[in-house]
Amino acid sequence: VNDPEDRYKNLPGITSLTPSLLSIDIDGRVIRLDSFSKVLAPGLRCGWITAPKYITDKIQFHNETSIQQPAGFSQAIVSKLMNEAWGHAGWEKHLVQTQRQYAERRDMFVDICQSHLKGKVEFTIPTAGMFLWFRVLLNETASKRKGVMGEIFESMLNNHVLLVPGYMFSPLGQTEEVLDKPYMRAAFSYAAESSFEVAISRLAQALEPFTCRNI
């Protein structure tokens, strides 16, 4: 790509986002969960639910007998921002800017991964979100060794880099069936862009004893 701007001309913005399941629900069976954490500020811990009233009434009742409600301070900040400072137009502008920022960080992260992790992992370039999912290309010896993903986790710690093991997201929990599945999740949303190359270089070193050589 000669012009870096060409990469971002076809971002969906607001109007071309993939339709949600809620938009095609005609029976009132879909519950949609949204959060400000990934697009505004993680510490707010504030979001919203869109669902039929018979469901939201039950959720409200559960809240009233458990957590009462989300933090009032967070709700006040979001309300002030959405209703007075930004309004709907300002919120959409912020979302488009965030979408662009994530796309730029993704592209930088992917380029570095392709440079340093060739022959060590494979991954699909995401079209949304803030994570890369790696499948570790274990060599023949490592692939037959029980507990190898635990060894890789220790190797990452020793090399001062940390990814989330895939089994953490499995509905099966930490069972033998999934503990050694060679998957890891990397986030490109939090770390400074200047640290991407250092982190991926460390990951390459951590994976070296367990994977194929660079191709």
Side-chain angles (χ1 to χ4, degrees):
V1 179
N2 294 324
D3 183 359
E5 291 298 313
D6 288 343
R7 289 187 176 190
Y8 309 111
K9 287 180 179 178
N10 296 320
L11 289 175
I14 300 299
T15 58
S16 299
L17 290 171
T18 301
S20 70
L21 292 175
L22 185 67
S23 70
I24 58 175
D25 176 33
I26 60 173
D27 298 317
R29 295 185 295 173
V30 174
I31 301 174
R32 173 168 170 157
L33 309 179
D34 290 275
S35 172
F36 290 107
S37 293
K38 302 299 187 291
V39 290
L40 188 56
L44 287 174
R45 290 291 181 249
C46 193
W48 68 98
I49 297 173
T50 307
K53 188 175 186 300
Y54 76 92
I55 294 177
T56 57
D57 284 347
K58 290 180 172 60
I59 293 173
Q60 182 175 347
F61 177 75
H62 177 71
N63 275 355
E64 290 172 349
T65 57
S66 57
I67 63 170
Q68 295 295 315
Q69 61 177 352
F73 185 64
S74 293
Q75 292 186 74
I77 292 175
V78 171
S79 178
K80 185 79 173 180
L81 191 63
M82 298 298 165
N83 295 315
E84 298 181 30
W86 279 357
H88 194 270
W91 173 235
E92 286 196 359
K93 180 180 179 181
H94 170 76
L95 291 176
V96 171
Q97 291 172 339
T98 303
Q99 188 180 94
R100 167 67 180 258
Q101 184 182 49
Y102 277 149
E104 290 175 344
R105 293 173 69 88
R106 175 204 61 194
D107 290 345
M108 178 183 295
F109 195 70
V110 164
D111 288 345
I112 293 171
C113 289
Q114 290 174 334
S115 174
H116 290 280
L117 298 178
K118 191 174 183 181
K120 293 181 172 63
V121 303
E122 63 180 15
F123 58 88
T124 300
I125 299 175
T127 58
M130 58 195 71
F131 305 108
L132 253 64
W133 275 93
F134 294 139
R135 184 173 80 88
V136 183
L137 301 176
L138 296 172
N139 59 41
E140 185 175 358
T141 301
S143 65
K144 296 178 181 178
R145 194 162 63 244
K146 185 177 181 180
V148 65
M149 291 307 292
E151 294 177 28
I152 289 177
F153 191 78
E154 288 297 322
S155 183
M156 288 193 294
L157 290 177
N158 292 336
N159 282 276
H160 308 291
V161 64
L162 191 61
L163 277 70
V164 184
Y167 69 78
M168 297 290 290
F169 304 93
S170 171
L172 300 177
Q174 298 186 34
T175 62
E176 289 190 6
E177 187 174 349
V178 296
L179 279 177
D180 278 335
K181 296 294 185 183
Y183 297 96
M184 300 186 298
R185 192 189 76 173
F188 52 81
S189 57
Y190 178 72
E193 293 176 2
S194 58
S195 69
F196 283 179
E197 186 129 22
V198 173
I200 296 305
S201 296
R202 291 175 179 176
L203 178 61
Q205 293 173 6
L207 295 177
E208 182 69 29
F210 307 94
T211 59
C212 307
R213 295 186 179 275
N214 286 326
I215 300 173

